[in-house]
Amino acid sequence: HAAVAEHLQARGGEPARLALHWEAAGHDQRAGAAWRAAAQAALAGGRREDEVRLLARAADCFTRAARHDDAFEADLARVIGSVTVEGAEAGLALADRLVAQARTLAQRAAALTRRASVLQWLVRAADAAEACAEVLALAEQGDRSGAGDVPVALATRLFAVGIRASSLASLGQAGAGAELMAAWGERARTCNDAEARLVFFGTYCTVLTYANRRREAVSAGERHIALARAAGRRDELLSGLTNVSAAQVFLGRLDHAIALAREAQQLADSLGQDRAAAAVNAANLGWYLVAAGSYGEGLGLIEDALAALRSLVATSALVANVEWLLADALIARGPPARAAPL
């Protein structure tokens, strides 16, 4: 098995095949690294279920190899996918375990940041904002102490800033959230962590949209889209197209918004995994079509999307957002009686 793995690795073999042979050969550290690479490829392709499963295998291999920091990082990367695949409560339980297991200030900050992202899914914006404030306080504490602990990475700080800002926006404080992100904008542009940069500008677009600063939102969103295309991150591209289309429609650029939303819908169909994101985009597209006068197609898309979201993420704020889109579309169509219960 080791010989086969060496042979495949020299020829650029698929990470999952490498991992199987390294694991069978008892080379757990190499197997863990290969499983992690396979998980990253799955994420890039939008295959969240595969990503979660492969990261769990990576963490198991690293644990057997006594590479505890690598196991921690693999589990940390698994938190967000676990929310989508296994449910928010499972993601929260994993994040809580990582907070308890953290051995350094940097690990604790990273785990708290992941926990905050799960709290957002559970519509606990105040708790998420508080957790991120703790992360930023830990980072400052480490910077001041200089006690030799591993400093909190800029990427972790940027994730925390984004989650705190979007949580503030959910609490009706979008202006404060936008100002917080603006203060970190230059550091985000120069951050070496491509994932942190990507997520930051995606979140910035959303927060600016909440703050009714839509031209700035389009600028941040277009940067997000460009970063997603460059990284081959179709999942993030889907999010970016959805966000920018929403901002464009409020600027009166309805044709552009519909074109972006249709591209996002095609992308969601090709990904085939993130059904919640696909449903949100379909609902947005439906709302734009209603605004353009295509009532039949538009209402059908919104109603189908709402049914899908209620079955997938019943406790998410996404459901409430799409209920609002449907109510607004029904009012635009004619008698508002059906809109009142929504």
Side-chain angles (χ1 to χ4, degrees):
H1 284 291
V4 171
E6 293 280 9
H7 177 81
L8 291 172
Q9 187 165 319
R11 287 156 180 76
E14 294 179 4
R17 291 185 65 196
L18 287 170
L20 284 169
H21 288 291
W22 283 130
E23 192 169 358
H27 292 237
D28 287 319
Q29 183 177 342
R30 286 182 162 184
W35 286 127
R36 184 172 55 197
Q40 290 167 346
L43 174 61
R47 305 191 319 273
R48 276 291 193 184
E49 290 183 11
D50 288 342
E51 181 216 12
V52 170
R53 176 177 56 82
L54 295 168
L55 284 170
R57 293 196 71 163
D60 288 343
C61 288
F62 284 133
T63 299
R64 287 198 300 269
R67 302 284 298 186
H68 299 297
D69 288 348
D70 288 329
F72 184 93
E73 291 297 324
D75 277 334
L76 192 68
R78 189 160 60 94
V79 172
I80 302 303
S82 293
V83 172
T84 304
V85 175
E86 302 167 342
E89 293 295 345
L92 186 61
L94 176 57
D96 284 339
R97 175 167 68 79
L98 291 170
V99 170
Q101 288 178 347
R103 299 192 296 175
T104 67
L105 183 146
Q107 286 183 341
R108 178 173 175 78
L112 283 169
T113 302
R114 288 292 193 274
R115 185 177 189 277
S117 67
V118 180
L119 291 171
Q120 279 192 312
W121 270 87
L122 292 169
V123 202
R124 293 168 55 183
D127 292 336
E130 183 179 345
C132 289
E134 182 180 351
V135 170
L136 297 174
L138 282 173
E140 290 183 9
Q141 173 190 328
D143 292 344
R144 288 194 306 269
S145 69
D149 200 352
V150 178
V152 175
L154 175 58
T156 298
R157 302 178 200 218
L158 291 175
F159 285 131
V161 165
I163 295 168
R164 179 167 173 77
S166 58
S167 297
L168 290 173
S170 298
L171 294 168
Q173 302 172 48
E179 292 305 317
L180 173 63
M181 296 202 77
W184 286 79
E186 185 57 35
R187 278 172 281 189
R189 279 186 283 272
T190 58
C191 179
N192 291 328
D193 189 305
E195 178 75 6
R197 209 164 54 241
L198 180 64
V199 173
F200 181 92
F201 284 104
T203 304
Y204 198 9
C205 173
T206 301
V207 173
L208 287 166
T209 300
Y210 271 104
N212 293 317
R213 292 163 57 175
R214 305 197 189 273
R215 294 186 189 281
E216 294 171 82
V218 168
S219 178
E222 288 176 342
R223 181 184 287 270
H224 178 226
I225 288 172
L227 290 168
R229 291 192 197 278
R233 285 291 302 278
R234 296 195 297 163
D235 57 328
E236 285 290 333
L237 178 58
L238 175 58
S239 172
L241 291 168
T242 302
N243 288 338
V244 174
S245 65
Q248 292 282 22
V249 76
F250 284 103
L251 293 174
R253 303 168 184 167
L254 197 55
D255 289 344
H256 194 186
I258 290 173
L260 290 174
R262 287 198 187 279
E263 181 185 352
Q265 187 178 40
Q266 291 171 356
L267 180 58
D269 289 342
S270 72
L271 289 174
Q273 289 294 325
D274 196 341
R275 292 180 293 162
V280 169
N281 184 68
N284 287 333
L285 174 58
W287 190 57
Y288 308 156
L289 288 167
V290 168
S294 298
Y295 294 111
E297 182 185 3
L299 279 171
L301 285 169
I302 299 171
E303 288 172 336
D304 289 347
L306 182 56
L309 286 171
R310 282 173 170 165
S311 68
L312 289 168
V313 285
T315 61
S316 170
L318 295 175
V319 174
N321 289 344
V322 175
E323 286 175 339
W324 180 87
L325 292 180
L326 180 56
D328 193 64
L330 289 169
I331 292 168
R333 176 82 183 265
R338 282 185 61 201
L342 289 166

